[in-house]
């Protein structure tokens, strides 16, 4: 009998939901062991935690593959590790990478400061126009890398024309989908070859682990796996165990993040002290139509421009009682950060303003608190401006 395809919540909780032998623990044990006994004379692959084949590592890899609709997945020691290994797997010296210009600052530094000495050239493109990708292509271009939704303007890209270009030109399409998670967007269903996550964020969801993940075809994941071995990027078993616990609630957390995101965005857009709100669920957002078409939910990330500039944001941040002033995102606690001091600190104020991130810009990662309490916290902090 053909098995019913399980829903996202069930896959997040049970993985493939295979039959359980009697006396199986409902919560998996932590295999906090570097190595495992090995049958004498066996030529089978040995189990060694640096190889990524510890049961805790394998369990979350299988679960993510099921959620993304991928043949295989791998978790590694950080989101940066996931981005680095993926590109090392796909690119060779002499190759050219086309990257969106709207990417996480750490990845921008990896591309501009490290890839050059490996003989890999990177150029940056405005990701909204398929024409710009085409124009920037060279004979040596091997891959396109982008993030969607983008940070901190929450632009939502339509992957399909970019995927069609990649297919026509034989390029790999690599998508960092950290902000969306497989609950809100599954890039492989839109033509991407590889999806990357900073699992530090929503996949784990509790701000207590640093991890990264990659998903795609078995052949590509085998290349990433080999690099993980030799570059020493494996994830610690305890971190893998925590991620498994976090992933069980991914679908329900994302539903709450989506609802709170929309409620707070709508409230912010009515406040006189707010100059602009960047949230794809608002009809005023430039990508609202695309977002409605491609996303399962608009997410819990929000960009807000306060009218008071730098001094206004400082006053606002000092007054917050529930939301914490901290970088990172995707956890149960609401965090607020200032791109001018974090992801976009490398730009001048003029460059930031040109990129649509003027002083006074705040990025909210809305957590799982009651939306009314968050709104009350923001209201009392805005009253301080
Ligand atoms: C979109 C995105 N990708 C990758 C990373 C890097 O992840 P990590 O901090 O887990 O190395 C981050 C971190 O903030 C991120 O926001």
């Amino acid at each position: 009998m053909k098995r019913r395809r399980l829903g996202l919540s069930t896959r997040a909780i049970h993985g493939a939901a295979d039959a359980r032998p009697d006396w199986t623990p409902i919560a998996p044990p932590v295999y906090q062991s570097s190595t495992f006994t090995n049958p004498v004379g066996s030529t089978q692959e040995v189990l060694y935690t640096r190889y990524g084949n510890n049961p805790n590592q394998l369990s979350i890899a299988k679960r993510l593959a099921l959620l993304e609709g991928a043949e295989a997945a791998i978790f590694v020691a950080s989101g940066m590790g996931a981005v680095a290994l993926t590109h090392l797997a796909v690119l060779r010296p002499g190759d050219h990478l086309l990257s969106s210009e709207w990417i996480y600052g750490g990845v921008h530094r990896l591309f501009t400061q490290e890839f050059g000495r490996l003989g890999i050239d990177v150029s940056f493109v405005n990701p909204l126009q398929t024409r710009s990708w085409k124009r920037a292509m060279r004979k040596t271009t091997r891959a396109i890398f982008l993030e969607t939704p983008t940070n901190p303007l929450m632009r939502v890209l339509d992957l399909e024309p970019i995927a069609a270009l990649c297919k026509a030109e034989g390029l790999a399409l690599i998508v960092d989908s950290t902000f969306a998670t497989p609950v809100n967007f599954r890039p492989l269903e839109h033509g991407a070859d590889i999806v990357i996550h900073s699992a530090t964020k929503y996949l784990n969801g509790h701000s207590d682990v640093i991890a990264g993940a990659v998903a795609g075809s078995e052949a590509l994941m085998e290349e990433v796996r080999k690099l993980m071995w030799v570059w020493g990027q494996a994830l610690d078993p305890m971190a893998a165990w925590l991620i498994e616990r976090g992933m069980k609630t991914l679908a329900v957390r994302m539903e709450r993040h989506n609802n709170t995101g929309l409620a707070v965005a709508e409230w912010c857009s009515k406040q006189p002290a707010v100059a602009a709100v960047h949230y794809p669920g608002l009809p005023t957002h430039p990508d609202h139509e695309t977002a409605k078409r491609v996303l399962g939910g608009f997410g819990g990330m929000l960009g807000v421009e306060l009218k008071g500039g730098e001094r206004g944001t400082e006053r606002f941040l000092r007054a917050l009682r529930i939301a914490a002033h901290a970088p990172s995102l995707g956890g149960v606690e609401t965090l607020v950060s200032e791109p001018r001091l974090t992801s976009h600190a490398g730009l001048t104020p003029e460059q930031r303003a040109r990129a649509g991130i003027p002083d006074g810009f705040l990025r909210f990662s809305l957590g799982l608190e009651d939306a009314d309490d968050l709104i009350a916290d923001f209201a009392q902090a805005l009253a301080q401006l």
Side-chain angles (χ1 to χ4, degrees):
M1 195 178 80
K2 194 165 177 285
R3 279 176 75 174
R4 258 187 85 243
R5 184 171 158 79
L6 301 171
L8 273 177
S9 302
T10 312
R11 275 180 270 159
I13 295 167
H14 294 290
D18 295 324
R20 276 182 288 262
D22 286 341
W23 310 113
T24 304
I26 293 300
V30 191
Y31 292 84
Q32 194 70 41
S33 184
S34 56
T35 189
F36 293 78
T37 58
N38 191 3
V40 177
S42 167
T43 54
Q44 281 181 38
E45 179 186 78
V46 300
L47 297 193
Y48 185 56
T49 293
R50 180 168 49 79
Y51 295 171
N53 54 16
N54 173 306
N56 297 115
Q57 297 162 332
L58 292 176
S59 177
I60 53 174
K62 191 168 171 193
R63 201 162 302 212
L64 181 66
L66 285 166
L67 291 173
E68 290 288 4
E71 284 176 15
I74 299 175
F75 276 79
V76 296
S78 68
M80 285 304 299
V83 175
L85 294 187
T86 301
H87 287 86
L88 289 176
V90 169
L91 302 168
R92 298 286 172 269
D95 285 350
H96 172 239
L97 170 70
L98 266 183
S99 170
S100 162
E101 62 187 2
W102 297 341
I103 57 170
Y104 171 60
V107 174
H108 192 272
R109 275 197 295 284
L110 173 74
F111 289 168
T112 52
Q113 293 175 14
E114 298 298 320
F115 276 25
R117 62 197 180 97
L118 302 176
I120 297 165
D121 225 2
V122 186
S123 36
F124 296 92
V125 165
N126 178 317
L128 287 176
Q129 294 152 0
T130 311
R131 262 182 305 135
S132 350
W133 293 107
K134 205 164 180 174
R135 224 178 292 132
M137 266 176 48
R138 303 181 193 161
K139 278 206 175 73
T140 52
T141 308
R142 293 285 171 267
I144 282 182
F145 171 79
L146 57 85
E147 280 176 25
T148 179
T150 68
N151 175 33
L153 294 172
M154 310 306 149
R155 298 301 303 257
V156 179
L157 306 181
D158 184 359
L159 282 195
E160 270 155 32
I162 305 172
L165 177 69
C166 287
K167 208 169 183 117
E169 303 293 337
L171 315 183
L173 178 56
I174 305 169
V175 176
D176 182 330
S177 190
T178 297
F179 277 35
T181 84
V183 175
N184 283 345
F185 187 58
R186 289 173 297 284
L188 303 182
E189 291 176 3
H190 297 262
D193 298 291
I194 305 182
V195 52
I196 296 178
H197 292 276
S198 165
T200 309
K201 320 299 189 207
Y202 288 108
L203 290 186
N204 178 56
H206 294 74
S207 304
D208 50 12
V209 158
I210 297 285
V214 191
S217 70
E218 180 51 52
L220 278 167
M221 291 310 102
E222 184 52 29
E223 292 302 307
V224 176
R225 197 172 292 126
K226 284 191 216 152
L227 291 167
M228 175 184 65
W229 284 31
V230 294
W231 289 85
Q233 280 290 314
L235 185 63
D236 183 76
M238 185 67 209
W241 186 88
L242 284 167
I243 292 170
E244 178 154 347
R245 189 163 82 160
M247 278 175 75
K248 289 184 186 197
T249 56
L250 179 67
V252 71
R253 282 189 285 110
M254 290 314 295
E255 190 182 323
R256 174 71 164 241
H257 286 301
N258 291 338
N259 290 339
T260 303
L262 189 58
V264 174
E266 282 173 349
W267 179 82
C268 285
S269 64
K270 294 185 197 119
Q271 304 313 304
V274 170
V277 181
H278 303 268
Y279 185 73
L282 295 180
T284 48
H285 189 279
D287 304 322
H288 182 58
E289 291 307 316
T290 308
K292 277 201 296 191
R293 187 160 50 80
V294 304
L295 298 183
F298 302 118
M301 299 299 299
L302 176 65
V304 174
E305 277 171 58
L306 298 187
K307 280 187 183 152
E310 187 182 316
R311 288 205 17 224
T313 51
E314 283 185 7
R315 255 194 227 145
F316 177 85
L317 289 168
R318 281 188 218 288
L320 290 173
R321 292 288 167 268
I322 296 173
H325 177 225
S328 199
L329 63 121
V332 298
E333 300 88 357
T334 294
L335 306 180
V336 186
S337 61
E338 268 190 284
R340 95 188 151 88
L341 302 175
T342 54
S343 54
H344 293 72
L347 304 184
T348 64
E350 294 71 33
Q351 284 170 325
R352 281 195 295 269
R354 265 203 307 280
I357 311 160
D359 290 347
F361 196 109
L362 291 172
R363 187 189 76 174
F364 291 68
S365 168
L366 298 162
L368 304 185
E369 302 92 339
D370 292 284
D372 288 352
D373 290 336
L374 291 176
I375 287 172
D377 195 27
F378 300 145
Q380 64 83 23
L382 280 183
Q384 309 297 316
L385 298 191

